[in-house]
Amino acid sequence: MFRSLLLPAAAGGLVIFGLCFYEQVFLRDYWSKPGAEAELIGKRFAEVPKEIGPWKGQDLSVDAQVKKTAGAVSYVSRLYKNEETGREVKLWLIVGHSRDICRHTPNICYPSSGFRQEGRQIRHEVPLPGTDPGQFFTGKFIKDDTFGRHAERVFWAWNHPDVEEFGAKWEAPGDARQHYGLSRALYKMYFTSNVMSDEDTADENVAAEFAALMLPEVNKALFPESAAAAAAASAENTESDETEVVEVVEEVDLADEAAAE
């Protein structure tokens, strides 16, 4: 009796082991070196400008546990201050394995830090010259303590660096894990700023203004090859347009000469 049950049990055990092995190795990429590609790509972060227009940036220290929790193989953590208005915006840009980068979002992390989310997160478009706008989630988070009420607005999005298109796409998918699957390199970016008492919409927050200014520069840093190609194509189109204008002017001049005769 025991021997008759042993073979099916062993076969079942092998099937379970095989399925678990397949899931961890192929579906979850469990034993791969986290961020092998992300480490190489992350070297481009050094090109993200510290100064842009009236905004001056200062690098912020990041605790090792915070980096580990976020899955950040490489990162930019920087506070930008507008020297004309005094307003400040934090930039948090990271790259790592998608299984880590997709997990921790503001609507999860902020409540664990004592904030509560006011209203629902919505999608916000950040304009980009010559291409589709970036799609970001944004949410408002409030914390009441002995110092009073503190409110922050966060804009966040992901970007898959394997896409060849210039700037790839900054996206805000409903389910990031399902959308990006398993990738050993995935970008995530936050723009964060305090909420003023007279702000009613996300568009009125200074982080939205700063994002529109900074996002094209981030794309140039992260996608240098395609940025150069896009610039060359733009220059070629401009030259073509100028040639067409000259030809039209010459045609008009010839027509005027013919009429005069």
Side-chain angles (χ1 to χ4, degrees):
M1 179 71 175
F2 176 76
R3 290 183 178 179
S4 63
L5 295 175
L6 183 60
L7 185 58
L14 286 174
V15 170
I16 293 173
F17 175 80
L19 290 174
C20 291
F21 182 82
Y22 177 79
E23 178 186 21
Q24 297 299 323
V25 174
F26 295 101
L27 297 184
R28 298 193 180 185
D29 202 21
Y30 190 80
W31 282 298
S32 68
K33 180 183 177 182
E37 290 84 352
E39 185 175 359
L40 177 63
I41 293 173
K43 294 179 180 179
R44 298 174 179 176
F45 284 9
E47 301 301 320
V48 176
K50 280 191 174 183
E51 298 185 5
I52 179 168
W55 297 88
K56 311 297 181 184
Q58 178 182 357
D59 289 328
L60 303 174
S61 61
V62 180
D63 183 77
Q65 184 59 44
V66 172
K67 289 189 290 185
K68 181 178 179 181
T69 301
V73 175
S74 296
Y75 69 91
V76 174
S77 179
R78 193 171 291 160
L79 177 66
Y80 287 87
K81 183 174 182 178
N82 189 313
E83 295 190 335
E84 296 175 356
T85 65
R87 295 300 303 276
E88 295 179 336
V89 177
K90 292 179 183 177
L91 170 66
W92 174 239
L93 172 64
I94 62 176
V95 64
H97 199 293
S98 63
R99 65 168 175 248
D100 303 317
I101 298 298
C102 289
R103 285 185 303 186
H104 299 280
T105 53
N107 51 5
I108 295 174
C109 298
Y110 267 72
S112 67
S113 300
F115 285 82
R116 71 178 187 277
Q117 184 171 346
E118 182 177 82
R120 300 179 62 183
Q121 66 189 42
I122 59 174
R123 285 185 173 87
H124 174 83
E125 290 190 348
V126 177
L128 283 167
T131 186
D132 295 334
Q135 297 284 341
F136 282 69
F137 278 128
T138 183
K140 183 178 178 180
F141 300 88
I142 298 175
K143 183 176 184 179
D144 294 306
D145 53 27
T146 56
F147 299 100
R149 171 164 293 189
H150 179 67
E152 291 188 358
R153 178 166 291 281
V154 188
F155 297 82
W156 71 96
W158 293 266
N159 193 319
H160 197 302
D162 289 345
V163 180
E164 295 295 332
E165 178 185 352
F166 169 51
K169 289 183 179 180
W170 291 98
E171 302 173 307
D175 187 338
R177 289 186 182 183
Q178 182 177 358
H179 183 76
Y180 294 108
L182 282 173
S183 173
R184 297 184 185 182
L186 182 68
Y187 293 122
K188 183 164 67 175
M189 181 162 53
Y190 293 3
F191 294 104
T192 306
S193 184
N194 293 336
V195 176
M196 305 300 286
S197 59
D198 59 348
E199 287 181 20
D200 294 322
T201 66
D203 290 324
E204 295 174 325
N205 187 262
V206 69
E209 172 192 336
F210 178 75
L213 187 64
M214 176 59 78
L215 192 57
E217 299 304 316
V218 170
N219 281 351
K220 290 178 185 178
L222 301 186
F223 307 96
E225 299 87 356
S226 52
S234 177
E236 184 177 343
N237 290 336
T238 300
E239 183 179 348
S240 176
D241 292 341
E242 291 176 351
T243 301
E244 290 179 2
V245 170
V246 171
E247 290 176 349
V248 170
V249 171
E250 289 178 347
E251 289 177 1
V252 171
D253 289 342
L254 289 174
D256 289 344
E257 290 178 3
E261 292 177 355

